[in-house]
Amino acid sequence: MEAEKAGASLDSLIAGFNSRISELKELVIARNMYPASSVTDLSAVDAAVKAMELQVQAIKDRVGDETLAIPKAKKLIDASLKQQRKLKDMSVYAPTHVPERMSMLNLDTNRCLFPESSQQNTGSGTFNLDEDPAPPPPPPPPKEKKGRSTPPLWFISTEELDSLSSYMRGRLTLEKVNAAINDMATYAEANYQLIAAPKKNVAGDRWEKALEIRDIAMHEAVKGKHFFLETDMKGPSLKLDNTGKAILTVLRHLGRVNETRIGHHRVIILLKPH
């Protein structure tokens, strides 16, 4: 409708120019009674009028192009708004701060694995595991399966958190709980690497834990699953404090984790989406 109004206005403007041109021609003829002397003036007027007509036609063509582009621009705006809504909906499922899993994992494994360069130097007070007085043979580490899956990162949504009772939810936020889920996946990955590491690469003070983790991994309730121990909860987002216990309660209620007790250890098992 706006395009039709703009076209009508331009047509009216062109008609006005044509009318004015006719009047100018009549005035010039009236002023110059002799045809021979009026040719120059009429030619100049005609040239000016044609230039004006070309300019008006160019304006009209430009308005027509812009009018045709309006529907395309509206479709682009609609598509952008839909994409914005999708991104907004997706953002609620991810924490605002997700620590780098590999950087945290390296910090943990570096404390339990000897650098290869230090393996050759065993005479400077370093404890040599190969010289232990005949300890009982440890159970072999579980063999890594081809295409081993990584620990699940099953974040919760705003609707799930809001569905909890106020006493269970407390002051927990979506970002805090999802950051804790990221920490749990990091703990589970660190335990797997400790299980799979050969004895010569495990520090002496970590070998006892490696044996315990391997025993737990062979337990029927845990076998083939990603897990971590309650004592692994050392942050940065999930710690063994009241907040950490509340987060575990929420995640257990929402079906993200299961818990079992093996020996004196409390084992938290990560569950995958159904």
Side-chain angles (χ1 to χ4, degrees):
M1 185 63 70
E2 295 179 358
E4 294 178 356
K5 291 181 179 180
S9 298
L10 287 173
D11 290 337
S12 177
L13 180 61
I14 293 174
F17 276 132
N18 291 333
S19 176
R20 184 59 177 169
I21 289 167
S22 299
E23 294 177 359
L24 289 173
K25 288 180 178 180
E26 292 177 358
L27 290 173
V28 170
I29 292 173
R31 187 187 67 179
N32 301 292
M33 298 301 296
Y34 300 98
S37 61
S38 64
V39 173
T40 304
D41 292 337
L42 290 174
S43 298
V45 171
D46 185 63
V49 170
K50 287 182 178 179
M52 294 174 64
E53 289 178 342
L54 291 174
Q55 291 181 356
V56 172
Q57 186 61 42
I59 294 172
K60 186 176 180 179
D61 293 340
R62 182 60 181 272
V63 172
D65 293 339
E66 295 295 335
T67 302
L68 294 175
I70 289 175
K72 297 180 180 179
K74 288 183 178 179
K75 290 182 179 179
L76 180 61
I77 292 172
D78 292 339
S80 300
L81 292 176
K82 289 180 180 178
Q83 184 68 14
Q84 184 181 17
R85 287 193 293 269
K86 288 181 180 179
L87 293 175
K88 185 176 180 181
D89 294 338
M90 292 171 60
S91 66
V92 302
Y93 292 97
T96 55
H97 173 68
V98 179
E100 290 290 341
R101 181 189 300 179
M102 292 308 299
S103 63
M104 294 170 56
L105 186 58
N106 290 337
L107 291 175
D108 185 71
T109 54
N110 285 341
R111 291 195 296 266
C112 67
L113 303 181
F114 283 124
E116 292 184 1
S117 60
S118 65
Q119 299 296 319
Q120 301 174 358
N121 184 14
T122 57
S124 58
T126 304
F127 184 67
N128 191 345
L129 295 176
D130 294 333
E131 297 178 358
D132 289 346
K143 294 182 179 180
E144 182 176 0
K145 298 181 180 179
K146 293 183 179 180
R148 180 183 68 87
S149 61
T150 58
L153 282 171
W154 189 7
F155 296 119
I156 69 169
S157 63
T158 304
E159 291 75 13
E160 288 179 303
L161 186 62
D162 293 340
S163 68
L164 302 174
S165 58
S166 58
Y167 79 90
M168 181 181 294
R169 184 171 65 249
R171 296 184 179 179
L172 297 179
T173 63
L174 184 70
E175 291 77 11
K176 186 178 295 185
V177 176
N178 282 338
I181 291 175
N182 190 81
D183 280 2
M184 292 192 302
T186 302
Y187 303 152
E189 182 67 20
N191 283 335
Y192 178 84
Q193 290 198 8
L194 187 59
I195 292 172
K199 180 180 179 181
K200 65 179 181 179
N201 289 340
V202 180
D205 58 346
R206 299 285 291 177
W207 181 242
E208 182 177 354
K209 180 179 180 180
L211 296 180
E212 289 182 334
I213 293 294
R214 291 180 182 182
D215 288 337
I216 293 172
M218 299 301 295
H219 196 276
E220 190 63 29
V222 180
K223 185 181 293 186
K225 300 177 182 178
H226 300 283
F227 69 93
F228 65 94
L229 308 182
E230 185 181 49
T231 54
D232 293 329
M233 296 167 53
K234 298 178 181 179
S237 299
L238 182 63
K239 300 179 181 179
L240 191 55
D241 53 13
N242 291 334
T243 301
K245 294 177 181 178
I247 291 175
L248 286 180
T249 300
V250 167
L251 294 178
R252 185 172 60 250
H253 181 80
L254 294 176
R256 266 39 175 199
V257 298
N258 271 340
E259 295 182 10
T260 185
R261 185 166 289 278
I262 300 176
H264 63 281
H265 288 293
R266 184 185 178 193
V267 183
I268 295 91
I269 304 169
L270 305 185
L271 301 180
K272 296 181 179 180
H274 305 301

